[in-house]
Amino acid sequence: MKICSPVLVAVVGAFLFASGSAQAAPAVTGVFNLPAQPVRAALGPDGNTWVTLASADPDIARITPDGTVTSFTSPEIDFPVGITWGSDNKMWVTGTNYIAQFQVTNPGAIQKTTVLQIGTANDIINGVDGRLWTASGATAFRITPDETPSITKILIDVPGFSARGITSTPLDTVWIANGDAGNPGMLPMSTAGIAGALVATPDGMVQDAASDSKGQIAFTNPTASVGRIGLINSGVLAPLTAAAPAL
């Protein structure tokens, strides 16, 4: 276990979805000194923020509300990518050919499950159905959180599909970003594993996604001719009128 002092104690402002009324612009209100490049972050059941690191040692960092950063290393995993708080109150991570779980009270004791078909999964989420979801290439994976997780593989019948970020809505649907430059978009899929029609997005490769309590979907498209943050409302792409704000 390693402890690092934060540069600044603060919280990163979240993306706010447009709802027809004026909203404050998102803002970065602080920076943390992490021991390696961060990949993904998720809130844990302990009220702390947990971050995957692009590293074999350490693998994961914990940031407490007062800004204290503690990193952890497990021999079971390296270079984790996605991270989420599961319905079983454990943290779950993805990496190349694996998923893994750990208790926030004992983050060094990680339990790994090898899933060769998972490849380089980019993200993992806790779905509205209480199951975990991730995707890699043209395959989605629905995971029942357990000591021995049950994994269902769902093929995505979209030519050239290349899964990136994934998010869940309260409407019994997950949305998966397609990073294929020739067919970029966001794909809805019911928690029963039935895919809807791809919502095409402008040029570039969609990379990440987030949702709000109303079921609106935000996505990032940083490689488009004009890098953008986009919005899907009721399954329809909202007009894109402005480039993503510079950081």
Side-chain angles (χ1 to χ4, degrees):
M1 181 178 73
K2 302 176 182 179
I3 299 179
C4 302
S5 298
V7 174
L8 294 173
V9 178
V11 177
V12 177
F15 179 83
L16 299 177
F17 296 96
S19 60
S21 59
Q23 299 278 2
V28 176
T29 56
V31 179
F32 297 102
N33 180 25
L34 295 174
Q37 180 181 342
V39 184
R40 300 273 179 174
L43 184 67
D46 54 354
N48 297 319
T49 299
W50 292 83
V51 184
T52 51
L53 303 173
S55 168
D57 180 12
D59 312 300
I60 292 169
R62 179 186 64 207
I63 307 173
T64 62
D66 68 2
T68 301
V69 178
T70 307
S71 59
F72 303 90
T73 299
S74 169
E76 293 296 316
I77 66 170
D78 55 15
F79 296 93
V81 181
I83 186 166
T84 194
W85 169 10
S87 59
D88 57 351
N89 275 337
K90 293 181 181 178
M91 301 302 292
W92 288 77
V93 300
T94 58
T96 299
N97 296 329
Y98 71 82
I99 58 174
Q101 56 183 293
F102 65 89
Q103 299 277 6
V104 294
T105 54
N106 191 12
I110 292 180
Q111 181 179 330
K112 175 183 174 181
T113 300
T114 298
V115 187
L116 295 180
Q117 304 97 320
I118 219 168
T120 54
N122 290 275
D123 206 358
I124 186 170
I125 58 166
N126 182 28
V128 69
D129 58 346
R131 291 176 289 193
L132 302 161
W133 289 80
T134 187
S136 177
T139 306
F141 298 86
R142 186 178 60 207
I143 304 161
T144 300
D146 203 345
E147 289 292 323
T148 304
S150 172
I151 303 170
T152 301
K153 183 172 68 173
I154 304 165
L155 298 179
I156 298 172
D157 188 20
V158 175
F161 199 89
S162 180
R164 292 294 189 270
I166 184 171
T167 191
S168 176
T169 78
L171 306 177
D172 201 35
T173 305
V174 297
W175 286 77
I176 307 170
N178 181 18
D180 174 38
N183 192 24
M186 292 293 301
L187 180 75
M189 179 178 288
S190 74
T191 54
I194 301 172
L198 183 76
V199 178
T201 59
D203 61 325
M205 296 179 285
V206 183
Q207 294 298 307
D208 215 337
S211 60
D212 70 358
S213 60
K214 298 178 181 179
Q216 296 182 110
I217 308 298
F219 62 89
T220 59
N221 197 355
T223 62
S225 54
V226 177
R228 297 183 186 276
I229 296 173
L231 181 69
I232 296 172
N233 193 354
S234 300
V236 178
L237 180 68
L240 302 179
T241 58
L247 296 178

